[in-house]
Amino acid sequence: RPRLQDKQRLLREARGLSCGLRRSNGSEKPLGWSVEGRMFVSGHVSAGKVALVTVGLACLPGADSFGFAPSAGAFTQRSHAAVRVGGMPGVSRGRVGAPVGLRMMSEGEEPLVKKPKPTLDKVNFPEDIKGLSIEQLKKLSDELRWEVIEAVSQTGGHLSSSLGVVELTVALHHVFDTPTDKLIWDVAHQAYPHKMLTGRRDRFPSLRQWAGLSGFTKRSESEYDCFGAGHSSTSISAALGMSVGKELTGQASNNCIAIIGDGAITGGMAYEAINHAGYLHQRMIVILNENGQVSLPTGTPSAAGVQPVGALSGTTSRMLASRQFQDAREVAKRVSKLLPSDLQRIARKVDEFGRGFVSGEEGAVLFEELGFYYLGPIDGHDLDNLIPILEELRDSKSTKPVLLHVKTEKGYGYQPALKASDRMHGVGKFDVATGKQAAGKPGPDTYTKTFANTLCELARVDPAVCGITAAMPGGTGMDIFGKFFPKRTFDVGIAEQHAVTFAAGMAVEGLKPFCAVYSTFLQRGYDQVVHDAVLQKLPVRFILDRAGLVGNDGPTHHGCFDLAYMGCLPGIVIMAPSDEIELMRMLRTAHEIDDMPSVVRYPRGSGYGAEGLKKVFGYELPEGRVPTPAEVTSVPIGQGRIMRNADPSCKKKVAILSMGGRLVESLRAAKLIEGEDGSGEIGVTVADARFMKPLDTDLIGDLASDHDAIVTVEEGSIGGFGDQVLHFMAHEGLLDSGKCKVRPMVIPDMWIEAGTQNQQYDFAGLQAKHIAATALRVVDKHGEALEVLAVQEKGLKNQAPTIA
């Protein structure tokens, strides 16, 4: 606990900032003062009294726990607690001794103390910052950073990436005429400051929530979001297309700026666009934002060590180590050489040093050889240099594409983020003072962790097992695998196409690659799935995490389409577990398949634990615990299972055939139909299909012959499991007599926006009440169907936010 001897130093540090005070436990209770994430202890609380003579704080007796916000004139008094601030310029907006807002907190509540933001409060749109001085823009940046921190602390979201580009965002909107000039944010999880400066600050309490603000750029949300994102490596292609469009339509201004990170630029599509832009000599600006975090989390042990993946990252790091940051005057000299009369001379590379290249360094002239003019590296947090450089680029008459290399620090300005191993990339709700995230209730392992642990067990006994991920070791569980088997862990960067073909090459040599990718991201490698793996019957094991609806990241991250786009391929096994035991068993099945590719897809979320497995699915667990991966056996290929049988004495019988994670809702639907006592006139069979390819045709035939209707349920789009079942039944003549009706239930043919997973599945009509209502309608029980739909589902609110 550092002692603060210098009052003036404290006052300088505190100027314009807010403070949060909390009493801690113990006989002598230290008073903590948080200033920009740094903790200063300068007094003690004892018997409800505060002694802070040096900074002029006083508290009346009776205060037990309190927080305050420096909002002059706003004052609330409870339990005889009061705080006044004296002798602290700026904290109370210049009113020495002015009261500040105060309320007693409820038990367990952490104080959120918002910093005053007088400059940001005057900014609604980019035109409001055009006339600001550099010093005013610095103040705006500081306030904007804290606004992001405070907003995300209440909703969760992508934090550190946005903190790292605050100054860059302010500079871009100050210099360029948006939305006429186009800003294209790659991935766009770093676009929170951009959204706050473009008329959406007041909507941030709804960030990534149902009917709220998107966590990524979205064209329908604002004219300032000229291109939607969520996946990576697309910005340069989009910016190039816009630049060509502006030129061909004769628009006077042609400034199209792609902002891409050193992670996203590992994606091959970015290089395709760079190559094309250089070939066209098309005017555009690419801002390469290097923050050193290529994979999430960076530092996962792998075959290449713990350094970020990709040769480019190593090249740019070497450049930064060997070159000083360039200032505005240096860059201005270089920009002057972009005039058309100098293009041939530039092409001869007579000014390599001025472009930031170091002669002889491997790969250092990459961008130049691809036709770009390179400038940098530039300190991305230094507005004094950043703004004049951007103005030079804006005003240049050159048609040559430019790459401006900036260096930023992810989580910049917020100490808890800078200290975290993942820089607090994606967070839930957290305490601003400490960065500590709200702890979730302890529960069963996630499906991701179950996969990782099972893969470790398979690798323990089989040296041929390898793991592959595309820059998402943390999200896929490959970071766990990498700790135990680093030489068999391969993080390929944001390069799903390469990941698939790389895995296929491994399979040629007899290895057993498990390619772990989010369902939504495997879309990027589809041609390689078809051509390089399936067509050649190479046994790549595709592990598709985040299948179905994923929660707060919304439509860019839903895994809705894999059953449709994988199911149409011949010669592939596709499985979907309904619980954690089934997941472990199916991973063993995939491990045993050596003559064709296989797919195991599972949803975001956790398993059921021992109690849930027994209560919901009727598992018998002799030792009262979930078995370990070493204790389970594989699932016979193409074999489903009956979870419950309809009462044969019932007049009508319906079969619910579930594929994957909706099995629990199907079982609940059966109880809604039959009643808790099972005395209804409609009997319900519930079956777990397990496999889409190959289908358990014997099971489907039996269900069709013994039931009046079959309802198929899946966490996928049209064209998936239900269509496979219908196709089989139609060709087998099982529908010809009209005795058995079929109703497929899928994710609707529409985009489902961000929200909790419960909200999304309720909207999609895939909860128990919807399944039950569908089954009742198909047997002409329409009144009963309406009654079931009136059942209120629990848990549609207050579900913890989810982060990719």
Side-chain angles (χ1 to χ4, degrees), residues 47 49 63 260 300 324 327 356 495 615 635 658 665 774 784 786:
K49 298 180 181 179
I260 185 169
T300 295
Q324 297 292 322
D327 64 22
K615 181 178 179 181
V635 178
S658 172
E665 295 298 317
T774 299
E784 291 86 341
L786 290 175

Side-chain angles (χ1 to χ4, degrees), residues 412-665:
Y412 183 79
Y414 186 51
Q415 287 297 318
L418 294 175
K419 292 178 181 178
S421 61
D422 64 348
R423 297 296 175 92
M424 295 180 70
H425 170 80
V427 297
K429 296 179 180 180
F430 64 93
D431 175 56
V432 172
T434 64
K436 183 178 180 180
Q437 297 185 50
K441 295 181 179 179
D445 286 346
T446 64
Y447 288 117
T448 301
K449 187 174 181 180
T450 299
F451 156 68
N453 291 337
T454 306
L455 189 63
C456 288
E457 172 59 24
L458 295 172
R460 185 183 65 82
V461 297
D462 186 352
V465 170
C466 298
I468 300 167
T469 184
M472 294 294 289
T476 61
M478 206 57 68
D479 58 338
I480 297 173
F481 184 75
K483 291 177 182 178
F484 295 99
F485 303 98
K487 295 300 182 183
R488 288 191 264 165
T489 303
F490 299 89
D491 183 351
V492 302
I494 303 178
E496 288 82 4
Q497 291 175 299
H498 167 60
V500 172
T501 305
F502 176 60
M506 284 182 158
V508 168
E509 293 302 315
L511 296 178
K512 296 187 176 182
F514 284 72
C515 187
V517 185
Y518 285 11
S519 169
T520 185
F521 294 148
L522 189 62
Q523 295 163 187
R524 299 159 61 91
Y526 186 62
D527 180 63
Q528 286 66 35
V529 170
V530 176
H531 183 269
D532 298 336
V534 180
L535 180 61
Q536 301 188 82
K537 299 183 179 179
L538 292 171
V540 176
R541 290 90 179 157
F542 294 103
I543 309 302
L544 303 189
D545 203 327
R546 271 54 167 192
L549 300 174
V550 299
N552 302 87
D553 284 318
T556 60
H557 283 62
H558 290 325
C560 301
F561 308 114
D562 57 88
L563 289 176
Y565 70 68
M566 299 296 274
C568 62
L569 303 177
I572 187 171
V573 175
I574 301 176
M575 302 168 267
S578 55
D579 58 65
E580 59 264 50
I581 295 178
E582 287 287 290
L583 174 56
M584 290 186 277
R585 297 188 67 193
M586 289 179 182
L587 290 168
R588 282 199 172 275
T589 303
H591 175 257
E592 295 170 2
I593 297 173
D594 283 325
D595 57 351
M596 68 179 71
S598 56
V599 176
V600 180
R601 54 111 61 182
Y602 48 87
R604 175 178 214 132
S606 298
Y608 295 90
E611 289 302 315
L613 290 169
K614 289 187 289 185
K615 181 178 179 181
V616 177
F617 300 111
Y619 276 99
E620 294 183 2
L621 303 174
E623 298 184 24
R625 60 171 177 80
V626 179
T628 68
E631 296 170 335
V632 301
T633 59
S634 58
V635 178
I637 295 175
Q639 186 177 107
R641 58 176 178 162
I642 297 290
M643 302 302 296
R644 59 166 287 166
N645 282 297
D647 185 342
S649 65
C650 290
K651 295 179 181 179
K652 294 280 187 179
K653 289 189 291 184
V654 176
I656 302 174
L657 181 58
S658 172
M659 170 76 176
R662 291 288 99 185
L663 181 60
V664 64
E665 295 298 317

Side-chain angles (χ1 to χ4, degrees), residues 21 78 129 158 188 197 277-278 308 402 416 473 523 530 545 570 581 613 625 629 635 721 747 754 793 799:
L21 304 182
R78 293 187 184 180
I129 70 173
H158 292 95
L197 294 178
V402 174
Q523 295 163 187
V530 176
D545 203 327
I581 295 178
L613 290 169
R625 60 171 177 80
V635 178
F721 170 67
I747 293 173
E793 293 286 346
Q799 191 179 35

Side-chain angles (χ1 to χ4, degrees), residues 278-486:
Y279 168 75
L280 291 177
H281 290 277
Q282 186 69 38
R283 175 183 173 88
M284 66 178 296
I285 300 169
V286 174
I287 297 178
L288 171 58
N289 174 33
E290 182 177 3
N291 60 34
Q293 193 170 49
V294 178
S295 298
L296 297 172
T298 295
T300 295
S302 69
V306 296
Q307 296 302 313
V309 66
L312 177 66
S313 178
T315 297
T316 51
S317 295
R318 288 195 299 273
M319 290 168 62
L320 285 172
S322 60
R323 292 278 290 130
Q324 297 292 322
F325 282 135
Q326 293 186 333
D327 64 22
R329 286 187 294 178
E330 281 185 278
V331 172
K333 293 176 183 177
R334 304 283 72 78
V335 173
S336 68
K337 296 184 179 181
L338 284 169
L339 295 173
S341 62
D342 292 315
L343 288 179
Q344 289 185 353
R345 180 164 60 87
I346 292 172
R348 290 195 297 269
K349 300 184 294 182
V350 298
D351 195 17
E352 281 190 349
F353 181 83
R355 295 175 199 137
F357 295 122
V358 180
S359 179
E361 290 219 14
E362 180 182 358
V365 293
L366 171 65
F367 296 115
E368 181 191 66
E369 294 295 341
L370 289 171
F372 269 68
Y373 193 85
Y374 175 97
L375 294 169
I378 305 298
D379 184 349
H381 303 298
D382 182 2
L383 289 172
D384 290 298
N385 278 311
L386 192 55
I387 287 176
I389 290 167
L390 292 174
E391 289 173 341
E392 291 280 355
L393 294 177
R394 177 196 63 193
D395 298 336
S396 170
K397 303 302 180 183
S398 170
T399 60
K400 189 178 180 72
V402 174
L403 187 137
L404 176 63
H405 180 181
V406 303
K407 173 72 172 179
T408 64
E409 191 171 12
K410 203 166 183 177
Y412 183 79
Y414 186 51
Q415 287 297 318
L418 294 175
K419 292 178 181 178
S421 61
D422 64 348
R423 297 296 175 92
M424 295 180 70
H425 170 80
V427 297
K429 296 179 180 180
F430 64 93
D431 175 56
V432 172
T434 64
K436 183 178 180 180
Q437 297 185 50
K441 295 181 179 179
D445 286 346
T446 64
Y447 288 117
T448 301
K449 187 174 181 180
T450 299
F451 156 68
N453 291 337
T454 306
L455 189 63
C456 288
E457 172 59 24
L458 295 172
R460 185 183 65 82
V461 297
D462 186 352
V465 170
C466 298
I468 300 167
T469 184
M472 294 294 289
T476 61
M478 206 57 68
D479 58 338
I480 297 173
F481 184 75
K483 291 177 182 178
F484 295 99
F485 303 98

Side-chain angles (χ1 to χ4, degrees), residues 6 15 28-29 151 182 286 314 340 346 390 459 577 600 669 738:
D6 187 347
R15 186 165 53 250
E28 186 177 80
K29 299 177 172 57
K182 305 299 184 185
V286 174
I346 292 172
L390 292 174
V600 180

